[in-house]
Amino acid sequence: EMLAKISCLALVGSAAAFTAPTMPLRSGASTMQMSAQGNAVKVAAAGAALLVAAPAFAADSGAGEKIFTANCAACHAGGKNSVVPDHTLEKDAIEKFLTGGFNEKAVATQVTNGKGAMPAFGGRLSDEDIANVAAYVIESSEEGW
């Protein structure tokens, strides 16, 4: 999806940049002339703003479950914590112990950077995988595991 957006913006920007120059329009004593290059810059800037504002991907808790099972379940099976028993993945424990509180961003930060006995997975899992795990953890916590 991101590649399609970039391709579309490049096509529009290129087309605007190579448009034949326009003739000045006269309206009374003033003269107005539009620059094709100026328009191309505006199109590119607007497109860049859209790309920055749009999320790169939507988290997929189904994919997150598979990643969780392969990477997290050794310590966190069923939302438990075999290393620090009171730091479970239950909603109330996440609200109490997780820096940032009960939300996907806070879970993703913890998974990426690790903390205490928990290792960092930022070098082992992609950002997308981590976002998917975070979505799975929050969804499972809300449902009570």
Side-chain angles (χ1 to χ4, degrees):
E1 182 178 311
M2 182 64 72
L3 183 59
K5 287 180 183 179
I6 292 170
S7 298
C8 180
L9 290 173
L11 180 62
V12 170
S14 297
F18 293 105
T19 303
T22 60
M23 297 297 291
L25 299 175
R26 298 216 178 254
S27 173
S30 66
T31 301
M32 179 172 46
Q33 184 173 4
M34 296 188 69
S35 162
Q37 288 78 17
N39 288 339
V41 169
K42 291 175 188 172
V43 167
L50 286 173
L51 290 175
V52 170
F57 49 81
D60 178 351
S61 64
E65 181 178 12
K66 293 174 185 168
I67 298 159
F68 182 92
T69 300
N71 295 278
C72 313
C75 296
H76 294 291
K80 304 299 179 203
N81 186 329
S82 64
V83 179
V84 184
D86 62 336
H87 286 62
T88 69
L89 299 180
E90 300 291 336
K91 185 175 182 176
D92 60 337
I94 290 174
E95 289 171 342
K96 182 176 180 181
F97 297 113
L98 184 63
T99 303
F102 186 76
N103 61 75
E104 289 180 27
K105 183 178 179 187
V107 173
T109 298
Q110 175 86 9
V111 173
T112 300
N113 302 322
K115 186 175 178 183
M118 183 172 163
F121 285 84
R124 295 186 243 178
L125 299 175
S126 70
D127 290 346
E128 184 174 5
D129 287 345
I130 291 171
N132 291 340
V133 166
Y136 171 71
V137 167
I138 292 296
E139 182 179 299
S140 297
S141 295
E142 287 175 339
E143 295 173 358
W145 289 91

